[in-house]
Structure formats: structure tokens, C-alpha cells
Amino acid sequence: MESAGNGRRDAALGGLAVLPDELLCAVVDLLQPTDIGRLACVSSVMYILCNEEPLWMSKYLSVGGHFEYKGSWKKTTLARLNLCSENSELEQKARHFDGFNSLYLYRRWYRCFTTLSSYSFDNGHVERKDDLSLDHFRSQYDGKGPVLLGKLADSWPARTKWSMQQLVHDYGEVTFRISQRSPKKIIMKLKDYVSYMELQHDEDPLYIFDDKFGESAPALLEDYRVPHLFQEDLFDVLDYEQRPAFRWFIIGPERSGASWHVDPGLTSAWNTLLCGRKRWALYPPGRVPGGVTVHVSAEDGDVDIETPTSLQWWLDIYPHLAEHEKPLECTQLPGETIFVPSGWWHCVLNLETTVAVTQNFVNQSNFEHVCLDMAPGHCHKGVCRAGLLAVPGKSVGDMENHPPGTITWNHNDMTSTEERLKGLGSVTASNSESQCSSFEFSDVDKSLENQVFSYDIGFLSQFLEKEKDHYTSVWSPTNPIGQREAREWLRRLWVLKPELRGLIWKGACLAINVDKWYACLEEIRACHSLPAPSEDEKLPVGTGLHCL
């Protein structure tokens, strides 16, 4: 055993001592559990690194499956992998070593044990409204900015029935889906999940985020109804099996939450809180939050967002933001509903155990944005999320009149097939305008010179890659529905919503170049003296290899 004192780390790690603790932990995380056990026997510092709870949480999440917490992640993982018997003594007397300290491990430990009971904050930038009419909502907030709405859930049975005690009584044996940053599916009985919540001290705790709760617990659907402001959903014309995931039942303990993201497919969302408190942070479209990196694949338009956990962002990044760089913020209280418009970045932190329900939707306000996001290519997807930084070959130029703090390319991490956009500063934005801050570029095309980023569909559509064809291009895996489902969706809208045909035509032109195909159809019709199509047939969206 190495000698105690300030030199324990160097003596215990030898040549590896030149590596920072963060990198060492990342390397250990690449090992199999059996190899981690062997490595723990090498030295005192390796023993410490190999017994970190976040490490064993990561090992379990890489396996997935039905989750039953055993009191610690190491015990849970080894039991899941059948590397120990149920009654074996895993938790022997803890070993203590003097002379070793790690700021990295301390910060992680602090995030695991910090309490958020007094962490609520509300700067008043997100308005609170009661008894909002549909006309007022559409004119002032829909597509323009977030708003906290009261009284929408006052008559819901969920207001009294969705307490943790009652939920466990009614649905304790029901299995729900667990959300975590893991490629593996994790499921858990509600009663087991509540036991986990009471025992855990995780930095990023597991939380229930189940889009199939209407199937596993259909009675929950009877406890709430979609508020009158959000009842228009143009995905409703699809069968339930065809439409993308759109509603989620959410339970999460203190410190859990949703890290920075833009809702899938540029849909809008509403979220109603039934118990607990949630802290929200929001940035307008095109403004990448500090500490967040957006990856957009040039091959298939796949969008991937690299972000710290919501707790880590608030503890480690938020305190260093200048006042003008901070996001819009609010603390959501029980019974309140928050509306998040299409394209808005948002991050959520649960300040205590919370229960909520949320739905995403497509209405007339965001329909064209959703269609645009389905179009093949990658540039327009990047611009919708990261502003003009996503325009190939463009860089942020120094400018005298630009507000302090900018969003910059991270050129060192660029590859030939992926563009990486990193938020380092911020943009001042009004929550009543969809237009965001301006950017000035060096070495730009004349068409973009001195342009101001706007979430207006006319501005965004100019970044479509015209040479890309819907029928022959690779479909982005992050699109909410498949290619054939998208065409069937547009066809059904055309037939079932004749009053919206002007809007539907515009969206179809963005998503699948329907104007081009209609011109081809007319040319063929004229050449062969075919009769004109009926009104229901004028949208050429075939379900085969091409529209014709």
C-alpha cells in the first residue's frame, strides 16, 4: 500500500498520474465490470476511481432491461450481470485513504448530494396568465414566446389523484419506461421506482418519461384533458400507430430533469405540473445555450445535441453567465401549464419530486416549420437550431455593435461529414418576438451579408438544399415520422382539412417539393390529354418510389 500524504496520487498512479482525473474516469468507464474489479486491486487511487457510483450507474445503463435497485449502483449492476449472488457481501467495510483529493470527484459528489429546496428563481421574464382566450393566445404567444398559464388544470381529476402516494396505490405494479442518456431501454415498476427515488443520490437521477402510459395505464388518460388552447393537432389525422410519440407521463425526483434541447421535429409543447416544482430556462430559436454543442450530419441531417445535465449546467455554467447572457427563467408551480413554442431551446430541473404530463403538437402556427424540418438535407436543420452559424463556410466576425458574447464555430472538432456548433455566449431576445439577434459574418455570400436571423419560415426556407430530392435522399433518423408516413400525413390533411389547403400546399412544397411534382403531373396530363385531377387529387404525394 502506498504511503499516505500529499504524494499518494503520484505514487498510486505512476505514469498515469499525468492524466487528469476526468480522463482517467472516462478510460475506466470503457472497461467491462470484471476488468474494473481487477483494476481496483492495483492501487488505492484506482480503488477509489473504480468504486465511484456514477461509474457503476453508467455500467448498468449500458445493459438496460428491467430495473430493480439494490441500494447502490455497484450492487445493482453486479446483480444484473449475475456476477454475485443475491446474499453475497458486496458492501464490505469502506476503505479510507489519506493524502488524496480530487476537485473533479468532489464536484461530482457535490452534485449528487446537493439540495435544491431553496433554489427556485423567477425573474419575471416568462409571463403568467390566467383565463387566456384562444384568440389572445394565438396573437400574443403562439409561435412567439413561452408563457405560464394558470387555471387550465383546475378541474382535472389528476390534480388530486396524481400524488405519489395515490399513484403507487393505484399503479404500483404497472411497468413504466425510464428516461436516461442510455441507448438501452429501461423499464421499472412504479413501486420499485419510488423505492429507488427514496434511496438514490445520483447527479442525474433516473426519471419516468413514458410515451406509452396510455397503453400500460389507460385510466391515467381519463385524469386530464388537453387544454382548450392546444387542442388543434394536425397529427391527429394519422392513426395512433402511425403518428410520432406525442404525450408523456413524467415523474422525477430532486436533481432530475431534461437537459438542453429543442423539441423533436420543431413541434410546440405544453407541460402541466401536478405536484412539486420545476425550474425552467429557455432561449429563443437559433440561440445555442452556453456549454451546448449541436452536431448536424451532412450525410442524413441527423441532429445530435451534446449537453451537460441540467443540474450540472445550472451549477457549473449558469453562475458564470453575465446578466445579458442569462436565459429566460421561471419556476413552475403545481397546477401551472407552461407553453414552449416551436424551435425554443429549453432546460428543466426538478427542485423536488414532481409529477407532470406533457404533449407535443402541430398546429397552423408551426406546421410549415415541422414540414421544413422533414425536408432532406442538413443546412436548414442546423439553421433552425443554431442560427446562421450552421451555414457552411460561415464564421462569426468581430463586430463593434454586437452584444457581448457570441456563438462560434468550434473548428477544431469539425469533420467532413459533421458540422459542430458550440454555444459560448448568448443572444438577447424578446419573448414577444420570433426574430432573434443579428449576426455579422466575414467572407459571406452577398445574399447573407448583414442578414438578421429570423425564425420566419421565409427566412429559414432559403437554406433548403434545392438539389436534394425527397424520394431519393436519405431520410433523417431524427425526423418524427418516416418518409411514407409523412406523405400519407400530408395526403390525409389535404383530403380531411380542405379549409387549410393553402397552408398544406406550402408545407408540402417545403417537405417534398410538391410544386415540382405537380408541374410534372400537369405536363404528363397535357401530353396525353388526360382529365384534370379532382380537388382531392391535386396534391401529388404517392406512397411508392415517387409521387407519380
Side-chain angles (χ1 to χ4, degrees):
M1 187 74 60
E2 301 81 1
S3 60
N6 293 334
R8 177 178 291 278
R9 187 182 190 281
D10 291 342
L13 294 177
L16 295 178
V18 298
L19 301 178
D21 292 339
E22 183 175 5
L23 182 56
L24 287 172
C25 288
V27 171
V28 173
D29 193 28
L30 299 174
L31 303 178
Q32 296 298 315
T34 51
D35 294 326
I36 294 173
R38 297 185 183 99
L39 185 61
C41 301
V42 170
S43 71
S44 57
V45 173
M46 282 302 182
Y47 174 88
I48 293 170
L49 299 181
C50 291
N51 280 278
E52 282 283 289
E53 275 288 273
L55 167 66
W56 289 100
M57 183 180 185
S58 172
K59 293 293 100 180
Y60 181 89
L61 295 179
S62 67
V63 177
H66 189 88
F67 177 60
E68 187 175 345
Y69 193 60
K70 304 291 185 181
S72 76
W73 279 105
K74 182 178 180 181
K75 183 182 291 188
T76 302
T77 304
L78 296 181
R80 175 74 174 82
L81 297 174
N82 297 316
L83 294 176
C84 65
S85 64
E86 186 70 25
N87 298 319
S88 64
E89 282 296 323
L90 282 173
E91 301 295 335
Q92 299 179 3
K93 185 177 180 181
R95 298 173 184 266
H96 297 279
F97 301 100
D98 296 326
F100 173 74
N101 59 74
S102 168
L103 182 59
Y104 171 74
L105 295 183
Y106 170 75
R107 283 176 172 168
R108 191 161 69 176
W109 174 89
Y110 177 81
R111 292 194 294 267
C112 290
F113 285 87
T114 189
T115 179
L116 306 176
S117 58
S118 59
Y119 206 61
S120 63
F121 178 78
D122 203 322
N123 59 16
H125 290 168
V126 178
E127 294 183 67
R128 276 184 158 86
K129 295 290 183 180
D130 292 336
D131 302 317
L132 203 62
S133 70
L134 181 58
D135 288 341
H136 189 190
F137 169 72
R138 286 177 173 172
S139 64
Q140 296 298 316
Y141 301 102
D142 195 7
K144 298 177 176 66
V147 61
L148 272 169
L149 301 161
K151 299 184 178 182
L152 293 182
D154 284 357
S155 61
W156 290 5
R159 288 287 282 125
T160 55
K161 295 173 66 175
W162 286 18
S163 66
M164 287 308 306
Q165 183 178 5
Q166 189 64 41
L167 286 170
V168 172
H169 177 271
D170 295 340
Y171 305 101
E173 295 294 330
V174 176
T175 298
F176 290 96
R177 299 185 178 197
I178 303 298
S179 177
Q180 247 299 339
R181 293 198 245 188
S182 166
K184 302 293 184 178
K185 176 183 175 182
I186 302 173
I187 58 175
M188 199 172 186
K189 287 184 177 180
L190 181 60
K191 66 176 185 179
D192 294 333
Y193 177 74
V194 173
S195 297
Y196 157 77
M197 282 202 305
E198 294 171 348
L199 293 172
Q200 61 82 30
H201 277 285
D202 296 329
E203 171 189 347
D204 190 19
L206 302 181
Y207 67 104
I208 290 176
F209 196 77
D210 193 337
D211 64 318
K212 302 295 184 183
F213 73 95
E215 300 172 18
S216 56
L220 289 173
L221 295 176
E222 301 173 5
D223 293 338
Y224 79 96
R225 60 178 175 270
V226 177
H228 69 284
L229 302 177
F230 316 118
Q231 289 187 355
E232 181 184 43
D233 187 355
L234 298 180
F235 273 138
D236 277 346
V237 299
L238 289 174
D239 298 334
Y240 176 78
E241 297 76 18
Q242 291 179 302
R243 69 171 299 162
F246 68 103
R247 62 187 177 207
W248 290 265
F249 177 61
I250 310 171
I251 300 178
E254 182 183 28
R255 298 187 308 280
S256 65
S259 54
W260 283 106
H261 66 284
V262 173
D263 278 339
L266 301 183
T267 54
S268 302
W270 60 266
N271 179 301
T272 299
L273 184 62
L274 283 310
C275 70
R277 294 177 301 144
K278 290 178 179 285
R279 185 173 181 181
W280 290 74
L282 306 103
Y283 283 110
R287 163 62 181 100
V288 182
V292 174
T293 304
V294 180
H295 303 263
V296 184
S297 170
E299 294 177 351
D300 59 12
D302 183 34
V303 178
D304 182 54
I305 297 172
E306 182 182 321
T307 172
T309 67
S310 52
L311 177 64
Q312 186 176 4
W313 187 85
W314 252 295
L315 291 178
D316 295 347
I317 296 176
Y318 178 85
H320 300 288
L321 298 177
E323 276 304 311
H324 67 272
E325 296 174 339
K326 289 182 178 178
L328 304 179
E329 298 175 72
C330 66
T331 297
Q332 185 184 17
L333 304 177
E336 290 187 323
T337 299
I338 188 169
F339 165 69
V340 181
S342 167
W344 276 69
W345 286 91
H346 50 288
C347 174
V348 190
L349 179 64
N350 291 321
L351 305 181
E352 55 199 52
T353 299
T354 62
V355 180
V357 64
T358 185
Q359 290 196 187
N360 286 61
F361 61 92
V362 182
N363 63 6
Q364 295 178 52
S365 173
N366 63 21
F367 174 72
E368 290 179 88
H369 291 87
V370 173
C371 289
L372 175 72
D373 206 51
M374 290 182 184
H378 72 284
C379 185
H380 62 286
K381 287 177 175 285
V383 172
C384 287
R385 293 160 177 83
L388 293 178
L389 295 172
V391 180
K394 305 301 181 285
S395 61
V396 175
D398 295 328
M399 50 192 293
E400 296 179 1
N401 298 323
H402 193 280
T406 59
I407 308 170
T408 65
W409 287 99
N410 188 331
H411 291 282
N412 294 332
D413 295 317
M414 294 276 290
T415 69
S416 60
T417 60
E418 186 178 78
E419 290 163 358
R420 179 180 170 99
L421 307 136
K422 189 170 184 180
L424 297 177
S426 73
V427 170
T428 303
S430 166
N431 65 339
S432 63
E433 298 291 337
S434 58
Q435 178 173 307
C436 302
S437 72
S438 60
F439 295 88
E440 187 173 282
F441 292 87
S442 57
D443 189 30
V444 298
D445 296 333
K446 291 297 182 182
S447 60
L448 290 179
E449 196 169 0
N450 299 321
Q451 283 227 29
V452 174
F453 173 81
S454 170
Y455 199 60
D456 177 77
I457 196 68
F459 176 84
L460 297 173
S461 61
Q462 65 182 312
F463 299 100
L464 284 168
E465 296 161 59
K466 305 299 183 183
E467 73 282 1
K468 296 280 187 179
D469 181 78
H470 167 83
Y471 291 91
T472 58
S473 299
V474 177
W475 191 250
S476 172
T478 49
N479 282 350
I481 53 178
Q483 278 174 295
R484 294 194 178 211
E485 289 81 4
R487 298 198 292 270
E488 176 63 12
W489 176 52
L490 292 169
R491 187 193 69 79
R492 289 195 188 186
L493 283 174
W494 184 262
V495 173
L496 298 175
K497 304 277 187 182
E499 72 280 6
L500 298 180
R501 280 179 177 169
L503 178 65
I504 296 165
W505 182 269
K506 292 178 182 178
C509 288
L510 294 169
I512 62 175
N513 298 117
V514 74
D515 49 346
K516 180 187 78 171
W517 293 110
Y518 185 76
C520 292
L521 185 64
E522 284 292 285
E523 187 175 337
I524 294 171
R525 187 181 70 81
C527 180
H528 296 279
S529 301
L530 298 173
S534 68
E535 288 300 317
D536 285 353
E537 297 171 336
K538 281 188 176 179
L539 190 76
V541 284
T543 56
L545 295 178
H546 56 76
C547 69
L548 304 179

